[in-house]
Amino acid sequence: MSKTQTVFCVSPARAGAGNVADLLIKAVDATNADPTKDRRGCYKRGDVVAVKPTGWQWGKEEGPPRFVRLTLTQVDGVTPVWSVPKGWTPDQPIGEPPADLKKYLQSELDFFYQPTKRRAWTCLLDSAAAPVTTDLTTKGTSSLTVDVAKALMQNKSTGLTDASAPALL
Amino acid sequence: MTTTITKTVKSAGGDYSSLSAWEAAQQGNLTVLDEIHEAQCFGFVDTTAVTIDGWTTDATRYIRVFADPSAVATLPYTTSGYRLEMSGAQPVVMVFEEYTRIERITVQATVTAGSNCGGMEFSGAATSDMRAIGCLVRGVMNGSNPNGQFGFRVDAGTAKFINCVALDYTDTGGSPPNPGFYTSGGTLYAYNCLTYNCRRGYRQDGGTFIAKNCLYDRGAQTTHEGFVGVFDAASDYNASTEADAVGTHARNSQTFTYVNTGTGDFHLTSSDAGARDFGVDLSADSIYAFAVDFDNVSRPQGSAWDIGATEAAASGFDAALMAAMDRPRPDIVFDLPQMVASGMAPSDRVNP
């Protein structure tokens, strides 16, 4: 394991009661010479790969250089909505993300429900505030409130961000 | 020389904490890299749907997803193996990549509404070789009208299902009815598969469907069909509780005997008279040759191959025990001194 990955894995951002979920986000483009496969199948920088509750134990390779991770805190900064339940063991389902976050995992579909893009939403990582981009560059992880994160989530089809949606919590 | 790259998928301490993240990280052109990429999955519940797409593969540089021997699919449905369990409006596993192999994993799809969801769907290019081997898919049909769900589906390309099991794609009253195995296009090979308690067993709706040694058991379904559609002429040696099994050696209107239907243990017993020893030997099959069952136990155990996913042990030795021996069972302790002290002779039978 690289030194960078070690820092990433022991990130203290997960411990607080104000965290709601972690987003695992692709940091680099995958490409394919076949334009259909490239568009439909390849993850691009900013695509959300997984949403897990705060406290989730991420894998050793779920960090730089392929991924970054955003820990989302609630708007009130206090009440956790989705964290690993006390006493949870791996043989129990962890459940699925809140709907407002689960949508970031959806593919873009055509009229016949066939996928046209791997993800319908992208996280505008390069548009984040300087402290966040610095954290992502140096540590591979950062923390944001949900409302700030939503302002960074852009629908690939409409070009609109998710900031105008109702508050998550 | 082709290199195999194996990464672990674990709930803690592995390379990845979900199969989906592994797929996202590893996407690449395997033919240029000259690599086989493997995901070795350990026991936990993975709740993120997986799509395998965007790679470049060929027949010798392919994708392999497999359960670690400690976490393989089992009958009854395990709560200790690697399971992909989720609900929602998409297949739990969606494969677009032409050369993908998925081995011995468990999938559960919970559906409350909608259609065209299910366990595993394969949709590759015309030239492809996608495989699911020893996998188990279980449906949980909630609500009044989830329809058109499926355990395993081929929409395009060629996919082979070997020793696979589809359970509980039950009748919800919706239309189209839910099948265990379904082809809407492409070519589907189902060899030694089992569907139990499904509204439909094997449904050819488009494309080509070749079924050999496949078993349909209606279970608790009051409305049911085993084999529906026009099957390829190569289909044979199938068995059904209904009068619809395909092939000149079909066994229709049969009763099958399992270890314990109450607990979901659908291993055929050595007393079964419906499917045991009625299959055809596929060990030299030109499409896919194999000689093991769902539990990786050698076929045949009796005088001939059994129809269905599991091979009943020859009398005196039960398949369930053989399945247990195929994976670590810390709850079973063989205390040799105690066995000797109790007067057990080497010739004594062992019953589970």
Side-chain angles (χ1 to χ4, degrees):
Chain A
M1 185 188 299
S2 71
K3 194 172 182 181
T4 303
Q5 286 170 321
T6 304
V7 172
F8 170 74
C9 288
V10 296
S11 164
R14 61 181 67 258
N19 300 333
V20 295
D22 291 358
L23 306 184
L24 182 69
I25 299 172
K26 196 75 193 298
V28 292
D29 287 351
T31 58
N32 193 298
D34 178 339
T36 300
K37 277 192 173 185
D38 187 71
R39 187 180 61 252
R40 183 193 65 198
C42 289
Y43 281 99
K44 301 300 180 184
R45 176 174 166 82
D47 287 354
V48 178
V49 173
V51 181
K52 296 295 183 185
T54 295
W56 183 257
Q57 294 195 46
W58 294 97
K60 289 178 280 191
E61 297 193 6
E62 291 173 324
R66 293 192 177 101
F67 299 104
V68 294
R69 197 178 70 234
L70 285 178
T71 295
L72 304 189
T73 61
Q74 289 193 61
V75 176
D76 68 6
V78 177
T79 311
V81 168
W82 199 36
S83 55
V84 173
K86 206 171 184 177
W88 175 81
T89 57
D91 61 337
Q92 301 168 329
I94 195 68
E96 295 183 43
D100 273 16
L101 300 182
K102 188 177 178 181
K103 71 182 178 189
Y104 299 144
L105 298 173
Q106 293 173 348
S107 300
E108 182 182 281
L109 303 176
D110 66 14
F111 183 76
F112 301 102
Y113 295 98
Q114 294 301 307
T116 53
K117 288 195 177 80
R118 191 66 185 248
R119 289 290 186 260
W121 295 80
T122 186
C123 181
L124 303 170
L125 293 170
D126 301 320
S127 299
V132 173
T133 54
T134 301
D135 276 354
L136 294 178
T137 302
T138 58
K139 297 190 300 183
T141 184
S142 190
S143 185
L144 291 174
T145 62
V146 165
D147 55 346
V148 172
K150 283 190 163 189
L152 293 174
M153 298 304 300
Q154 182 185 54
N155 186 294
K156 292 180 182 177
S157 177
T158 65
L160 301 175
T161 70
D162 203 20
S164 60
L168 173 67
L169 309 171
Chain B
M1 182 177 174
T2 303
T3 304
T4 299
I5 309 294
T6 304
K7 301 292 182 180
T8 57
V9 179
K10 289 183 173 182
S11 61
D15 297 317
Y16 297 93
S17 62
S18 68
L19 186 57
S20 176
W22 168 83
E23 198 272 341
Q26 299 294 313
Q27 284 182 328
N29 186 331
L30 302 190
T31 63
V32 170
L33 294 168
D34 197 17
E35 290 175 345
I36 295 167
H37 280 227
E38 296 184 333
Q40 181 178 10
C41 304
F42 288 78
F44 75 104
V45 184
D46 189 342
T47 54
T48 306
V50 179
T51 297
I52 299 176
D53 195 7
W55 304 57
T56 302
T57 56
D58 65 19
T60 57
R61 281 78 59 98
Y62 52 84
I63 299 160
R64 180 176 179 236
V65 175
F66 68 101
D68 180 79
S70 64
V72 297
T74 62
L75 287 169
Y77 189 93
T78 183
T79 55
S80 60
Y82 175 74
R83 294 109 72 204
L84 276 160
E85 294 184 357
M86 66 169 297
S87 60
Q90 64 183 97
V92 177
V93 179
M94 181 81 213
V95 177
F96 288 99
E97 207 47 60
E98 285 75 20
Y99 295 90
T100 301
R101 304 174 181 184
I102 302 176
E103 300 172 12
R104 307 189 76 185
I105 72 167
T106 305
V107 171
Q108 177 174 283
T110 300
V111 186
T112 54
S115 61
N116 293 327
C117 307
M120 292 187 189
E121 180 170 349
F122 294 78
S123 187
T127 302
S128 53
D129 181 4
M130 303 171 285
R131 304 174 184 178
I133 300 170
C135 294
L136 185 153
V137 171
R138 182 167 76 174
V140 179
M141 300 294 110
N142 291 330
S144 60
N145 194 31
N147 59 79
Q149 313 303 320
F150 52 84
F152 300 89
R153 174 179 179 175
V154 177
D155 191 48
T158 297
K160 301 160 186 169
F161 301 91
I162 313 297
N163 293 325
C164 288
V165 177
L167 304 175
D168 302 332
Y169 279 85
T170 55
D171 180 24
T172 59
S175 182
N178 303 323
F181 291 79
Y182 176 64
T183 178
S184 51
T187 302
L188 189 162
Y189 291 91
Y191 286 3
N192 276 100
C193 293
L194 165 69
T195 58
Y196 184 90
N197 197 37
C198 295
R199 167 64 178 82
R200 282 177 166 169
Y202 308 88
R203 168 63 166 141
Q204 184 275 338
D205 195 22
T208 303
F209 198 135
I210 299 100
K212 295 181 180 179
N213 289 350
C214 289
L215 191 159
Y216 171 74
D217 191 319
R218 65 177 173 266
Q221 297 303 291
T222 54
T223 305
H224 38 69
E225 296 160 287
F227 294 77
V228 185
V230 179
F231 286 76
D232 187 86
S235 300
D236 205 355
Y237 292 91
N238 300 295
S240 176
T241 48
E242 318 312 308
D244 56 14
V246 293
T248 55
H249 301 86
R251 293 187 50 78
N252 286 307
S253 306
Q254 296 295 311
T255 299
F256 308 106
T257 308
Y258 307 101
V259 171
N260 190 332
T261 55
T263 63
D265 190 340
F266 302 113
H267 287 91
L268 292 173
T269 70
S270 56
S271 61
D272 175 75
R276 190 172 71 90
D277 295 343
F278 287 108
V280 64
D281 186 339
L282 298 175
S283 63
D285 187 84
S286 62
I287 300 299
Y288 189 85
F290 65 107
V292 294
D293 76 349
F294 174 80
D295 298 309
N296 220 22
V297 170
S298 297
R299 295 181 185 270
Q301 289 292 310
S303 59
W305 282 44
D306 296 348
I307 296 171
T310 67
E311 186 78 11
S315 60
F317 201 73
D318 197 277
L321 179 60
M322 297 186 71
M325 293 170 68
D326 192 44
R327 62 181 188 275
R329 286 290 300 269
D331 55 317
I332 297 177
V333 177
F334 291 96
D335 185 338
L336 188 58
Q338 177 60 36
M339 293 162 76
V340 172
S342 66
M344 191 174 194
S347 58
D348 285 348
R349 265 182 56 184
V350 177
N351 287 314

